[in-house]
Amino acid sequence: MKIGSYLNRTKDKRIYYYDYGRLPGQRPAIRVLTYTKPKNQTEKNHNKQALELIDVKKSQTIIEQQSIGSAYIPPHKFKGNFLEYYAEYVDKNKTDSNRALQNSFKQFKEFVGRSFVSPVDITENLCKEFRKFLLAKFKGETPQGYYARFKWVLNAATKDKYFQVNPTDEVSAIPNPSATLKKNLEVEDQVEFLGSEQLYDRLFLF
């Protein structure tokens, strides 16, 4: 692993990059720079911290390369807050025509009620509780759609080695049948279902 650098046009700053070769795309920027002739203590401190950061990034990149093809995933590749992983997944996979994925994230945040959720907290029981939360709040196929998107996120997280076993594998996405059930029942069955003779009177009022 090599780190290369070059001077900017005014030659007052040095810009650094990863040097993997001379082909296009083999010299990605590290996004770190140093002052060639620091004018004060602030710029000197900046240079020191920038060089330390370059060393850290170099070490992380070496570990990533060495872990390719193995079961080991470098810790710095993980997000400690599962909400950040969820948000990133939504951002990469959302569509303007269907907001179910964004809404599933919104509902999950409301369900957990806190800004930090460790991947360790995502258990099968929590998944069941989230499904129950959706079924209690929404009717018809809406809770099924939101939970299905939640399962997408956990499937991706499992592939990314956040979980050894997908915690939602045995927790299916199901609809809340009450809305469609009422629609398909016969008039007499609706009266019995709702437990109200008043509905019967209203149905035949005209």
Side-chain angles (χ1 to χ4, degrees):
M1 160 61 63
K2 295 181 180 180
I3 301 294
S5 67
Y6 61 91
L7 294 176
N8 65 350
R9 291 182 180 180
T10 56
K11 297 185 178 181
D12 62 338
K13 296 182 182 69
R14 182 168 292 277
I15 300 171
Y16 297 83
Y17 58 87
Y18 298 107
D19 189 354
Y20 297 116
R22 297 184 178 276
L23 296 177
Q26 290 189 331
R27 292 186 173 184
I30 300 180
R31 302 184 185 280
V32 175
L33 58 84
T34 56
Y35 296 97
T36 53
K37 295 181 180 180
K39 300 175 182 178
N40 50 50
Q41 190 61 44
T42 299
E43 292 185 354
K44 289 179 181 179
N45 291 340
H46 168 88
N47 281 2
K48 180 181 178 181
Q49 293 172 1
L51 293 174
E52 290 175 351
L53 178 59
I54 289 172
D55 285 340
V56 171
K57 287 179 173 287
K58 180 179 178 180
S59 297
Q60 290 179 343
T61 303
I62 291 173
I63 292 173
E64 288 177 22
Q65 291 178 332
Q66 292 177 342
S67 66
I68 293 175
S70 72
Y72 175 73
I73 306 295
H76 67 272
K77 298 292 288 184
F78 282 100
K79 295 186 182 300
N81 187 354
F82 186 74
L83 294 178
E84 292 181 4
Y85 182 92
Y86 205 146
E88 184 176 281
Y89 182 92
V90 170
D91 188 58
K92 290 180 178 179
N93 296 279
K94 65 184 178 182
T95 60
D96 293 333
S97 59
N98 190 331
R99 296 185 57 82
L101 184 58
Q102 296 96 305
N103 288 335
S104 74
F105 181 44
K106 178 182 178 181
Q107 295 305 318
F108 184 71
K109 287 191 295 182
E110 181 180 331
F111 164 69
V112 295
R114 57 185 189 271
S115 60
F116 184 92
V117 179
S118 170
V120 178
D121 296 330
I122 309 298
T123 63
E124 182 175 311
N125 283 336
L126 183 136
C127 294
K128 289 179 179 178
E129 289 298 318
F130 180 46
R131 183 179 65 177
K132 186 187 300 183
F133 169 84
L134 293 173
L135 289 170
K137 188 173 182 180
F138 300 102
K139 305 296 184 183
E141 296 180 354
T142 299
Q144 182 180 32
Y146 289 173
Y147 192 81
R149 270 61 175 190
F150 174 68
K151 287 174 72 72
W152 290 1
V153 178
L154 292 190
N155 288 341
T158 302
K159 291 179 180 179
D160 287 339
K161 309 300 182 182
Y162 278 79
F163 310 106
Q164 290 186 344
V165 177
N166 190 334
T168 190
D169 260 352
E170 298 185 10
V171 186
S172 302
I174 57 177
N176 185 338
S178 59
T180 53
L181 181 62
K182 293 177 187 177
K183 183 177 180 180
N184 295 326
L185 287 175
E186 296 294 335
V187 174
E188 292 82 357
D189 292 332
Q190 287 191 38
V191 173
E192 182 178 354
F193 179 78
L194 295 175
S196 173
E197 293 292 341
Q198 294 179 355
L199 174 63
Y200 191 93
D201 294 336
R202 289 170 60 188
L203 287 171
F204 290 97
L205 185 61
F206 300 101

